[in-house]
Amino acid sequence: MREKLKTKFIEVYGSSDQPIHMYFSPGRVNLIGEHTDYNGGFVFPCAISYGTYLAVRLTNSETVKFTSTNFDFTAEISLEKISEKVGNEWINYPLGVINEMKKIGIPIKKGVELLFDGNIPNGAGLSSSASIETVTAYFINNIFGNNRLSREELAKLCQNAENNFVGVNCGIMDQFAVSMGKTNHAIFLNCDTLGYELVPLNLSGLKLIISNTNKQRKLADSKYNERRSECEQAVKALSHVKKIRNLGVLKLAQFQEMEGSISDKIIKKRALHVVSEDQRCIDAVDALKEADMNTFGRLMNESHDSLKENYEVTGLELDTLVEEARKIKGVLGSRMTGAGFGGCTVSLVKEEIVEEFINVVGAAYKNKTGLNADFYIADVGNGVRKLS
Ligand code: GLA
């Protein structure tokens, strides 16, 4: 991988006597706790072995050069002009990070050549964007910041880049997971306090299958921001009964006592999802610790059903993958993962039926939607790092 990327780098930028530095940041899959992070709730993601490689070389010019093996668009931007957004291009993710780093006193001080190379499907809900952001932040911190920022700080900075520069009001989950991930562990994160616990993922005899709908996600960002504002409306209405700072502070029973203050039925459903999902996430982590994988699977199913009925972020493609998966004996649970509106599902399945799963679900999905799904076995890996 590294040698191939190096060869490609030299093909793109030519040779020089400067060393090429290599970095990697993973993608993530969220096991449970969906659309809870920006509500101050719990999430339970893990980093995966797929991700974004970045090759970097310092130059004597005053520009930053951007190339990716995944997108045609390339750019060369002078260090002075680095603060402007460039249309809807992929480089806005690294540009956002470069700007946030500059704001906190870690600017890129010299010209650099950058080659990004990702093997996570883009826009599939596996955090390809957080992966690009984090690998950028990590390299700047490493080369120009003397590794001053901690992994937690890098995660927060990348979230700021996405919120402020790209314009998606995402929560902290993705950036945190790809920064802090650990092989064979999932991260139980309290998004209100950023307190977290690395929980061993003992999947003995089971596999996590990621199924990609391969549906083009249109308007996903704007619908995401819409959900976020619906949750804010719920907090406002509930605060007439008792002042709360976010939905994450409510237990289900408390919410049920107060929900009369929300007159809008849709807003009420959104809040119900968040509050119940938070509890499911806590329960799922307990179940995993007790090696009760059937309960874990049931909670995954309930999570999807709530995302479908109450949060309304699934759609035909995700629902079909989940329904077809659940028909197979040996599937303990199946749900959408990430923001929704397309993207991927994650299923917990017995090892011996993996092949059957891929064949049967793939065929039924094609039949119903006309689309080909892709399947990956999730390998749980480490967070962002320098490759040496
Ligand atoms: C996206 C966002 C995350 C989170 C999920 C939904 O992945 O980037 O912050 O809100 O959607 O759980």
Side-chain angles (χ1 to χ4, degrees), residues 60-74:
N60 288 324
S61 72
E62 298 287 300
T63 63
V64 182
K65 294 181 188 166
F66 297 88
T67 307
S68 164
T69 59
N70 306 94
F71 306 95
D72 292 336
F73 184 83
T74 60

Side-chain angles (χ1 to χ4, degrees), residues 256-274:
Q256 280 158 345
E257 275 169 25
M258 301 161 70
E259 65 177 1
S261 62
I262 309 177
S263 52
D264 187 317
K265 273 195 197 137
I266 298 213
I267 304 291
K268 201 183 278 186
K269 285 207 296 186
R270 305 294 191 246
L272 172 62
H273 165 73
V274 173

Side-chain angles (χ1 to χ4, degrees), residues 28 30 33-38 127 170-174 224 338-339:
R28 66 97 189 90
N30 187 24
E34 214 67 83
H35 287 279
T36 45
D37 63 348
Y38 52 85
S127 291
C170 66
I172 188 69
M173 169 169 73
D174 304 348
Y224 182 91

Side-chain angles (χ1 to χ4, degrees), residues 1-7 9 20-24 53-56 135 385-388:
M1 184 69 214
R2 264 167 257 177
E3 278 315 305
K4 252 172 85 186
L5 190 59
K6 215 172 190 173
T7 311
F9 189 95
I20 299 171
H21 306 276
M22 300 269 192
Y23 300 87
F24 174 77
Y53 292 82
L54 171 62
V56 181
V135 80
R385 57 198 178 265
K386 180 163 191 185
L387 306 170
S388 54

Side-chain angles (χ1 to χ4, degrees), residues 102-382:
K102 195 169 163 190
K103 276 191 206 162
I104 61 157
I106 313 183
I108 292 191
K109 291 195 204 94
K110 263 179 90 47
V112 283
E113 292 159 330
L114 306 175
L115 175 62
F116 292 84
D117 177 38
N119 59 9
I120 335 176
N122 290 315
L126 300 176
S127 291
S128 54
S129 30
S131 176
I132 295 178
E133 288 157 6
T134 311
V135 80
T136 307
Y138 194 92
F139 111 73
I140 300 174
N141 190 38
N142 181 240
I143 296 187
F144 299 105
N146 218 357
N147 296 319
R148 186 178 107 196
L149 300 183
S150 68
R151 285 172 180 270
E152 276 107 323
E153 286 170 322
L154 290 178
K156 279 191 261 176
L157 182 133
C158 291
Q159 183 199 12
N160 288 342
E162 188 144 346
N163 292 170
N164 302 335
F165 199 85
V166 181
V168 177
N169 275 326
C170 66
I172 188 69
M173 169 169 73
D174 304 348
Q175 291 79 6
F176 201 91
V178 306
S179 298
M180 307 290 293
K182 185 170 173 212
T183 304
N184 296 330
H185 286 72
I187 307 171
F188 183 38
L189 172 66
N190 177 335
C191 300
D192 203 21
T193 61
L194 294 194
Y196 69 96
E197 182 187 347
L198 290 168
V199 182
L201 256 188
N202 292 325
L203 292 178
S204 53
L206 299 170
K207 291 276 178 207
L208 287 165
I209 302 184
I210 297 172
S211 313
N212 188 355
T213 58
N214 281 320
K215 181 197 173 192
Q216 286 301 317
R217 299 204 284 178
K218 288 196 200 107
L219 296 177
D221 291 352
S222 62
K223 285 196 198 144
Y224 182 91
N225 287 348
E226 182 185 293
R227 289 296 176 283
R228 188 163 179 155
S229 93
E230 286 167 345
C231 292
E232 281 159 11
Q233 289 174 54
V235 169
K236 215 166 156 198
L238 290 164
S239 288
H240 288 133
V241 183
K242 183 182 167 231
K243 186 111 192 81
I244 54 166
R245 66 176 181 284
N246 56 42
L247 292 172
V249 300
L250 293 178
K251 290 275 166 215
L252 191 55
Q254 281 173 302
F255 170 71
Q256 280 158 345
E257 275 169 25
M258 301 161 70
E259 65 177 1
S261 62
I262 309 177
S263 52
D264 187 317
K265 273 195 197 137
I266 298 213
I267 304 291
K268 201 183 278 186
K269 285 207 296 186
R270 305 294 191 246
L272 172 62
H273 165 73
V274 173
V275 177
S276 63
E277 180 75 357
D278 217 29
Q279 189 61 49
R280 279 188 288 274
C281 186
I282 297 169
D283 294 345
V285 174
D286 284 346
L288 180 67
K289 287 180 180 168
E290 285 159 21
D292 180 357
M293 300 314 277
N294 286 321
T295 299
F296 195 94
R298 176 178 52 76
L299 290 161
M300 287 174 81
N301 287 342
E302 288 173 15
S303 166
H304 183 89
D305 297 346
S306 173
L307 287 156
K308 178 182 176 192
E309 304 297 335
N310 297 325
Y311 220 64
E312 298 181 278
V313 291
T314 59
L316 173 75
E317 292 79 6
L318 287 166
D319 291 336
T320 302
L321 280 180
V322 160
E323 278 158 28
E324 295 303 329
R326 288 185 194 167
K327 284 181 191 164
I328 301 174
K329 198 161 171 266
V331 174
L332 276 61
S334 185
R335 60 181 291 275
M336 58 151 270
T337 183
F341 314 106
C344 291
T345 66
V346 57
S347 308
L348 184 62
V349 312
K350 292 202 170 141
E351 210 160 4
E352 59 270 23
I353 62 136
V354 168
E355 212 183 309
E356 178 191 353
F357 181 102
I358 293 173
N359 292 335
V360 174
V361 175
Y365 180 71
K366 169 95 187 174
N367 193 18
K368 242 188 189 161
T369 64
L371 295 170
N372 287 311
D374 284 320
F375 299 91
Y376 313 87
I377 310 290
D379 241 335
V380 179
N382 283 321

